[in-house]
Amino acid sequence: MMMSLVDGCPNCPKPTYETQTDRERNAGIPRCLSQLKACIRAEVFSALDDQSETRPALSHENLLINELIREYLEFNKYRYTASVLTAESGQPELPLDRQFLENELKVVEDAGSKSVPLLYGLVSHFLSSRGDSGGKVFLRGHPVQGGHPVPGGLNVDHSNTLPGPDV
């Protein structure tokens, strides 16, 4: 029964078994359960996704954020989660070029940082810079209209020592 469900799912990879006997083949079922569960979730999402509901246009900031998240998810082998993110957000199927992300985010990497997602480097930067001046980076709110960010950019004050919002 489980095999027919997997065989009938066009998005599911076909499970492979390294053994030949029925007993050994049944022992391999738990190995494919995570794939099967992910496929079922993806199929349920696809069935429940209301295509008539218009999504807001993918802003430049959301494009970059989604790509950072996708790179992190794929690095950690959360491939099904990444595929749902791509489908639900309208992110392009092909990942953005890493050099493009570096340029857009105005970051420079050393050789060691290129082996991990950019998100790790960004988090590491903020965690390690906490003790530099004792200050915090002040992030200003992004303009929102109708519950969605308005294109135009995040306002980040890079002085690193602001005490808080302007009064």
Side-chain angles (χ1 to χ4, degrees):
M1 181 172 175
M2 190 176 307
M3 293 303 295
S4 63
L5 180 58
V6 172
D7 292 338
C9 178
N11 297 323
C12 291
K14 302 300 179 236
T16 56
Y17 300 101
E18 300 165 3
T19 59
Q20 295 299 316
T21 68
D22 286 342
R23 184 172 181 218
E24 291 171 331
R25 190 172 294 125
N26 288 337
I29 289 175
R31 287 183 288 203
C32 72
L33 277 180
S34 63
Q35 288 178 335
L36 180 61
K37 288 178 185 177
C39 285
I40 291 171
R41 284 186 200 108
E43 289 298 317
V44 168
F45 167 76
S46 179
L48 296 176
D49 188 28
D50 185 0
Q51 296 295 326
S52 66
E53 182 181 319
T54 58
R55 292 191 175 100
L58 188 61
S59 70
H60 186 68
E61 290 84 4
N62 282 358
L63 177 77
L64 297 175
I65 292 167
N66 290 345
E67 195 59 38
L68 290 170
I69 294 169
R70 175 172 39 192
E71 184 185 35
Y72 162 82
L73 292 171
E74 289 178 354
F75 178 82
N76 287 289
K77 304 202 182 340
Y78 302 142
R79 290 182 188 98
Y80 296 106
T81 305
S83 70
V84 170
L85 169 71
T86 302
E88 193 169 22
S89 67
Q91 192 79 0
E93 288 291 324
L94 291 175
L96 298 177
D97 180 64
R98 185 164 173 129
Q99 187 63 50
F100 172 79
L101 286 173
E102 290 174 23
N103 292 339
E104 290 297 300
L105 298 171
K106 297 173 180 43
V107 297
V108 178
E109 295 187 282
D110 63 15
S113 67
K114 290 186 182 284
S115 64
V116 296
L118 283 168
L119 196 53
Y120 281 111
L122 295 171
V123 170
S124 176
H125 166 75
F126 285 107
L127 289 175
S128 66
S129 65
R130 278 196 264 179
D132 289 350
S133 64
K136 295 183 179 182
V137 173
F138 178 62
L139 301 176
R140 296 175 194 250
H142 195 288
V144 176
Q145 185 175 45
H148 303 290
V150 175
L154 291 171
N155 299 316
V156 180
D157 188 324
H158 295 282
S159 68
N160 209 31
T161 57
L162 290 176
D166 298 333
V167 179

